[in-house]
Amino acid sequence: MAFCSTCGAQIADGTTTCGACAARAGFTPVPTGAPAAAPAAAPAASAPGAMADNVAGMLAYITIIPAIIFLVMEPYNRSRFVRFHSFQNIFFVVALIVCWIAFTILAMVLAFIPILGHLILALLWFALAVGSFVAWIVMLLKANGGQMWKLPFIGDMAEKQANAI
């Protein structure tokens, strides 16, 4: 079993082209008896001085600005790996904004409950902050490791967008 070095898709033994991206060469063979694992991202070698895909994927999570830049800038907008992480970060930020709006509305409702309402709201804000921070750190580390780790709902949307281009 082999993996395409361009898109990371599994390639059947004996084939010369990738069915997912139509790349010709550069398959990464998996040793016999070893479990099949997702391959690490290959460096973007199409432009001199371009950073590796895993570094670009990790930088896409720093803020929303690098994610947008990577989606419009060559050679990163041709890499499925970088597009996936850029879209996942954008969708993650949008989800956090939606949660912030929902929590603000909930705060207006819970403000009428004297002590318990404020306590519940503080715990919810803390859970959202810690949960989103941990998810952000995990996404940073997985992108740097060359893995396409998906968040439950957001990752599927990001994968569809990354494959659409």
Side-chain angles (χ1 to χ4, degrees):
M1 188 61 57
F3 290 99
C4 174
S5 63
T6 304
C7 70
Q10 273 189 333
I11 307 298
D13 291 334
T15 58
T16 58
T17 58
C18 174
C21 70
R24 275 211 142 253
F27 298 124
T28 307
V30 176
T32 308
S46 59
M51 68 181 93
D53 280 353
N54 65 332
V55 174
M58 182 187 71
L59 288 176
Y61 288 111
I62 300 300
T63 63
I64 199 169
I65 295 168
I68 294 170
I69 290 172
F70 287 144
L71 287 175
V72 297
M73 194 170 104
E74 293 282 338
Y76 307 110
N77 62 356
R78 287 183 276 146
S79 169
R80 180 177 168 264
F81 182 82
V82 176
R83 282 194 322 264
F84 168 77
H85 287 291
S86 296
F87 278 120
Q88 182 160 276
N89 181 46
I90 290 169
F91 294 150
F92 183 65
V93 168
V94 168
L96 287 178
I97 290 171
V98 168
C99 287
W100 176 73
I101 291 170
F103 276 26
T104 302
I105 294 170
L106 186 64
M108 290 181 223
V109 173
L110 290 178
F112 291 111
I113 303 172
I115 295 172
L116 188 61
H118 297 293
L119 180 65
I120 291 171
L121 189 63
L123 290 174
L124 287 174
W125 275 113
F126 181 73
L128 177 67
V130 169
S132 61
F133 181 73
V134 167
W136 179 67
I137 294 295
V138 168
M139 289 186 293
L140 276 169
L141 294 175
K142 294 290 186 178
N144 192 37
Q147 299 175 4
M148 291 179 64
W149 186 74
K150 296 189 312 185
L151 290 173
F153 178 71
I154 295 169
D156 294 332
M157 293 188 325
E159 188 173 35
K160 284 180 187 175
Q161 289 298 317
N163 291 335
I165 298 175

